[in-house]
Amino acid sequence: NAGVTQTPKFQVLKTGQSMTLQCAQDMNHNSMYWYRQDPGMGLRLIYYSASEGTTDKGEVPNGYNVSRLNKREFSLRLESAAPSQTSVYFCASSEAPVPEAFFGQGTRLTVV
Amino acid sequence: GENVEQHPSTLSVQEGDSAVIKCTYSDSASNYFPWYKQELGKRPQLIIDIRSNVGEKKDQRIAVTLNKTAKHFSLHITETQPEDSAVYFCAASRNTGFQKLVFGTGTRLLVSP
């Protein structure tokens, strides 16, 4: 019973490099989310996908793109990484009417 | 959009004391208020939640209260234990068929033996 799985767990990038964070859930949830967590800032929503085939911007979308590949997978792409994108990234999923959001284990990204 | 403020940012208590964390929200249409606990290096996990049609909810040593008129809600932990040490996040959302949660900035709770 894996729940929400993120890869990789750790990553160091140089400024300007690109990468994709992967997220997969095995709970058959319709909705998926990407958050970033910074000290003193809590969890801020980057993008979300209310259902397969739809994606929308959250609170802090600049510098990111997403793809809802299928119902299970929701990826986050950094096209040109910047030091300001150093953060811990969490993927989450949920399914109405149960409101609980289930989080992945996080990806710690450092941009140097 | 919704804005959630959380206080205090840090809270230190002695084992056995009670701890209270408070949050305020701005969107009067929000109707779902969960609390998440995040242990060091781990993922956030739901510990308790409350919907707008309820004023209080309890689960063993933890309880949440909601005042819709004042737009604030609180987490109460009684008889604190060292394993309660963690960062706690409040959140708010509208129930639109999915949960686009807006989180507070977190409270680091330290329970000393």
Side-chain angles (χ1 to χ4, degrees), chain A residues 8 12 15 26 32 39 47 75 85 91 102 111:
Chain A
V12 178
T15 298
D26 63 2
M32 297 185 74
Y47 270 93
S75 63
Q85 294 178 304
C91 177
F102 292 85
V111 183

Side-chain angles (χ1 to χ4, degrees), chain B residues 18-85:
Chain B
S18 294
V20 180
I21 302 170
K22 299 181 179 182
C23 289
T24 60
Y25 62 98
S26 61
D27 186 355
S28 57
S30 289
N31 57 9
Y32 174 66
F33 308 93
W35 286 88
Y36 282 79
K37 176 183 181 182
Q38 186 180 27
E39 296 177 353
L40 189 63
K42 300 290 182 65
R43 72 191 76 190
Q45 292 191 295
L46 180 71
I47 56 170
I48 194 167
D49 57 14
I50 192 168
R51 293 184 183 271
S52 59
N53 58 346
V54 176
E56 183 176 5
K57 184 177 179 180
K58 290 183 179 180
D59 183 4
Q60 298 183 339
R61 296 187 297 108
I62 61 173
V64 57
T65 59
L66 171 65
N67 183 327
K68 282 212 72 179
T69 302
K71 289 190 284 188
H72 68 69
F73 57 112
S74 300
L75 177 71
H76 304 254
I77 306 174
T78 59
E79 301 174 20
T80 54
Q81 301 168 3
E83 52 265 39
D84 293 329
S85 296

